[in-house]
Amino acid sequence: METILSIAGKPGLYKLVSRGNRTLIVETLDETHKRVPAFATDRVTSLGDIAMYTDADEVPLWEVLDSVSKKEAGKPSSFNYKKAPAAELHDYFAEVLPNYDRDRVHDSDIKKLLQWYNILAKYGITDFKATLAPTEGENVDDRAEQVAE
């Protein structure tokens, strides 16, 4: 069980390694695997806590990523989301999540989702439910014990 994090103002995704006194120790999900502290003043969000708006309800991010993975056959997306016009971006996303709320899901949200998907797929994280679904427990060790039970 891994905790994948996004830190506002910092590019990419991070894996939670451990907790310090008022800090988190995180490791970049890239070739460097650089470990850095994330401080209490940083806006840190677990991907497991994120959901996408739909017309009916909110859908957990792991379900949306799973849909993207099925569309892309588990490989990084071939869709050029960085240069795609807004209409193409929304058409692509409608294939992934047909009933998404077109008023509350912005172009930037779709681009961020696809960027995150590509990072996770590149590093072999494709079981999104096991990796990103919320779990109980105060820390990573508690969560690992619960999964083992």
Side-chain angles (χ1 to χ4, degrees):
M1 177 63 62
E2 296 178 77
T3 301
I4 307 297
L5 306 170
S6 169
I7 302 174
K10 295 184 180 183
L13 292 174
Y14 301 83
K15 179 173 66 170
L16 178 63
V17 177
S18 73
R19 297 171 189 257
N21 188 14
R22 293 189 231 213
T23 62
L24 299 174
I25 307 301
V26 297
E27 181 178 281
T28 59
L29 278 181
D30 63 12
E31 297 82 20
T32 64
H33 297 288
K34 182 178 176 185
R35 290 187 177 193
V36 295
F39 299 99
T41 55
D42 290 327
R43 220 173 61 220
V44 178
T45 306
S46 168
L47 266 56
D49 295 336
I50 298 174
M52 298 294 284
Y53 295 115
T54 66
D55 295 332
D57 211 354
E58 293 181 0
V59 175
L61 183 67
W62 70 264
E63 287 184 25
V64 181
L65 289 169
D66 199 46
S67 294
V68 175
S69 180
K70 287 175 183 161
K71 178 174 175 45
E72 298 292 343
K75 296 180 171 48
S77 177
S78 56
F79 181 68
N80 188 355
Y81 62 89
K82 292 179 183 177
K83 295 183 179 182
E88 281 184 35
L89 205 56
H90 286 274
D91 289 345
Y92 178 91
F93 198 62
E95 292 177 34
V96 173
L97 189 63
N99 63 337
Y100 79 97
D101 188 331
R102 284 159 173 70
D103 294 330
R104 297 198 292 178
V105 176
H106 303 99
D107 298 353
S108 60
D109 299 329
I110 298 170
K111 288 179 180 181
K112 181 65 70 177
L113 173 101
L114 293 173
Q115 177 189 11
W116 288 348
Y117 170 77
N118 284 342
I119 291 169
L120 294 168
K122 182 176 180 182
Y123 292 97
I125 299 171
T126 55
D127 187 353
F128 300 112
K129 183 174 183 178
T131 306
L132 302 179
T135 57
E136 296 176 14
E138 287 297 314
N139 65 40
V140 175
D141 295 332
D142 290 343
R143 294 179 197 172
E145 289 172 14
Q146 288 178 354
V147 170
E149 292 175 358

